[in-house]
């Protein structure tokens, strides 16, 4: 309705297009109908995204996208990747861009749970422990039943989801350990800080970024030269022993956890969620979009409910798992409630 092709001037290699009540001439990249069609589509998309008409032609030329097929559209200082086949309906394309525009500025939360099995949650068939908060979250969202992780163990799986690339590209094929153990299995000591990361992408788009929870992509044991978490694109963070700068409240000794830690093992998930909620509130109050990693230690062994704190021999039993899982579900419910209470429910994407 907004964009209409009026005609083609082959002598001057331009196409005349009406946008609303205004008429504009744009350089034509080719002579066939597909070029004309896709030029119209690209102009329509940029117009619907609010690009000023007088700058549309420049944007199209700068990106080099007005071809029989185009791969990217420049919107302001951002580039949106597309793959438009010949003859594709520009209305369908504009719907894709409408969706992209609708998500701009949304808050984004990535929850990565350590060692939780798909069978641990009631909504996927678990019966050992009720998980009402996770079940409610699943019911209200989109459930995925077929998926892959980049790796079956901690460090490379985290690197894969952080970078969007195969972790072996960065010489990460199993969990990071001390230097000697890493050498034995041809592992790097930490994730290359020059790798692309989601956090950097969000930072570049003007988002606040935070990481609260386990890191395990460098640092701890005898690896003392791992890059700081800020170098991967995070403005704020709180992490554990297996990170370059562990929170002292979680790390009273030279190990992953200890009875002497100020924040006890059974309170770790609550502690990370406290930090995550504070981060969300600060940025919501300032009307700033954010990207948040919430990566708790649970449900990794040992399972240490407070009632069994002195009974080490039971830390990997079903009797220990059940109260830890119950507490984890309770804390996740508190996190989801906080999103609602801050009025972020309709403007926050949460991936669990």
């Amino acid at each position: 309705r907004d964009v209409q092709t009026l005609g083609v001037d082959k002598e001057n290699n331009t196409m005349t297009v009406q946008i609303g009540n205004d008429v504009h001439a744009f350089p034509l990249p080719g002579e066939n109908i597909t070029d004309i069609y896709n030029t119209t589509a690209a102009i329509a998309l940029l117009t619907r995204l609010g690009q000023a008409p007088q700058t549309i032609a420049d944007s199209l030329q700068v990106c080099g996208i007005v071809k029989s097929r185009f791969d990217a559209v420049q919107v302001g200082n951002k580039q949106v990747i597309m793959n438009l086949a010949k003859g594709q309906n520009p209305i369908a394309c504009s719907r894709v861009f409408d969706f992209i525009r609708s998500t701009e500025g949304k808050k984004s939360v990535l929850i990565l749970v350590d060692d939780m099995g798909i069978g641990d949650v009631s909504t996927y068939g678990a019966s050992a422990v009720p998980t009402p908060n996770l079940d409610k979250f699943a019911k209200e969202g989109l459930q995925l039943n077929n998926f892959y992780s980049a790796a079956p163990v901690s460090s490379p799986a985290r690197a894969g989801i952080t970078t969007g690339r195969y972790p072996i590209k960065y010489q990460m094929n199993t969990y990071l350990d001390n230097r000697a153990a890493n050498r034995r299995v041809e592992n790097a000591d930490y994730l290359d800080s020059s790798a692309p990361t989601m956090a950097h992408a969000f930072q570049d788009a003007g988002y606040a970024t935070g990481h609260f929870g386990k890191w395990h992509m460098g640092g701890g044991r005898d690896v003392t030269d791992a890059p700081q978490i800020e170098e991967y694109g995070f403005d704020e963070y709180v992490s554990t022993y297996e990170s370059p700068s562990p929170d002292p409240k979680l790390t009273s000794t030279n190990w992953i956890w200890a009875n002497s830690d100020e924040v006890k093992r059974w309170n770790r998930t609550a502690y990370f969620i406290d930090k995550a909620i504070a981060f969300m509130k600060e940025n919501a109050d300032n009307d700033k979009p954010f990207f948040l990693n919430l990566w708790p230690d649970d449900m990794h062994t040992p399972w240490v409910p407070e009632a069994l704190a002195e009974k080490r021999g039971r830390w990997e039993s079903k009797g220990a798992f059940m109260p830890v899982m119950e507490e984890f579900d309770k804390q996740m419910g508190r996190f989801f409630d906080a999103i609602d209470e801050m009025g972020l429910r309709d403007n926050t994407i949460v991936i669990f």
Side-chain angles (χ1 to χ4, degrees):
R1 292 194 302 269
D2 303 317
V3 180
Q4 181 179 0
T5 302
L6 300 181
V8 175
D9 182 346
K10 291 189 176 180
E11 183 176 345
N12 294 310
N13 199 36
T14 60
M15 178 176 68
T16 305
V17 177
Q18 182 169 338
I19 303 175
N21 295 323
D22 300 321
V23 176
H24 302 272
F26 296 95
L28 189 63
E31 297 183 355
N32 63 57
I33 189 65
T34 302
D35 292 323
I36 297 171
Y37 191 81
N38 284 347
T39 302
T40 308
I43 294 168
L45 296 175
L46 287 165
T47 302
R48 290 172 70 99
L49 283 169
Q51 186 89 340
Q54 61 267 28
T55 66
I56 290 176
D58 291 338
S59 295
L60 295 174
Q61 289 177 312
V62 167
C63 289
I65 61 174
V66 188
K67 303 174 182 176
S68 58
R69 165 189 189 110
F70 64 88
D71 298 310
V73 170
Q74 185 90 14
V75 182
N77 63 351
K78 301 176 184 177
Q79 195 173 81
V80 182
I81 305 301
M82 287 289 289
N83 187 14
L84 181 62
K86 290 183 180 181
Q88 185 168 335
N89 188 334
I91 295 175
C93 294
S94 67
R95 286 174 182 164
V96 172
F97 276 79
D98 283 343
F99 171 76
I100 293 169
R101 188 180 186 185
S102 74
T103 62
E104 187 172 359
K106 280 191 180 293
K107 286 67 176 172
S108 301
V109 179
L110 176 61
I111 304 171
L112 184 62
V113 187
D114 199 11
D115 273 7
M116 174 181 277
I118 192 171
D120 292 343
V121 183
S122 301
T123 194
Y124 283 105
S127 58
V129 184
T131 52
N133 293 296
L134 292 175
D135 295 344
K136 180 174 182 287
F137 173 70
K139 183 178 180 180
E140 294 175 350
L142 172 68
Q143 286 184 247
L144 304 179
N145 297 291
N146 190 4
F147 51 86
Y148 293 90
S149 173
V153 290
S154 181
S155 303
R158 293 167 190 274
I161 205 168
T162 295
T163 65
R165 294 183 172 183
Y166 292 114
I168 198 66
K169 179 178 178 68
Y170 299 105
Q171 203 176 333
M172 299 182 74
N173 56 68
T174 187
Y175 66 89
L176 297 187
D177 204 331
N178 59 52
R179 291 181 183 276
N182 291 337
R183 296 293 83 74
R184 284 196 298 271
V185 294
E186 299 181 359
N187 234 6
D189 288 324
Y190 48 79
L191 176 63
D192 185 346
S193 60
S194 69
T197 68
M198 280 197 292
H200 275 310
F202 277 105
Q203 265 189 341
D204 291 345
Y207 281 59
T209 56
H211 175 94
F212 303 99
K214 184 173 179 178
W215 180 250
H216 208 183
M217 291 186 287
R221 300 175 176 86
D222 61 350
V223 179
T224 58
D225 60 343
Q228 295 299 308
I229 293 177
E230 294 102 323
E231 296 182 50
Y232 298 92
F234 291 98
D235 302 319
E236 298 181 35
Y237 67 90
V238 171
S239 195
T240 65
Y241 172 77
E242 292 172 310
S243 73
S245 296
D247 185 334
K249 291 185 177 182
L250 301 170
T251 320
S252 60
T253 66
N254 189 31
W255 190 235
I256 297 169
W257 77 283
N259 287 332
S260 55
D261 293 343
E262 181 178 340
V263 177
K264 304 304 182 185
R265 178 78 185 193
W266 52 87
N267 287 329
R268 278 196 174 195
T269 294
Y271 182 68
F272 291 137
I273 285 178
D274 286 345
K275 295 293 186 181
I277 290 173
F279 172 83
M280 291 194 299
K281 186 176 188 312
E282 178 185 358
N283 287 288
D285 288 348
N286 292 313
D287 197 27
K288 187 175 180 66
F290 59 76
F291 168 63
L292 166 63
N293 267 0
L294 177 56
W295 291 11
D297 273 352
D298 292 328
M299 292 295 299
H300 197 297
T301 55
W303 303 308
V304 189
E306 185 173 7
L308 299 179
E310 304 301 325
K311 299 180 180 180
R312 189 181 190 92
R314 296 180 59 186
W315 288 351
E316 297 195 19
S317 67
K318 183 176 180 180
F321 169 83
M322 292 173 67
V324 172
M325 185 71 217
E326 184 178 4
E327 177 65 15
F328 179 82
D329 181 77
K330 173 185 172 183
Q331 294 301 327
M332 291 312 307
R334 187 165 67 89
F335 180 75
F336 299 143
D337 287 345
I339 291 175
D340 289 348
E341 291 163 6
M342 283 185 262
L344 302 178
R345 179 185 179 90
D346 295 331
N347 196 37
T348 303
I349 299 169
V350 181
I351 301 173
F352 181 93

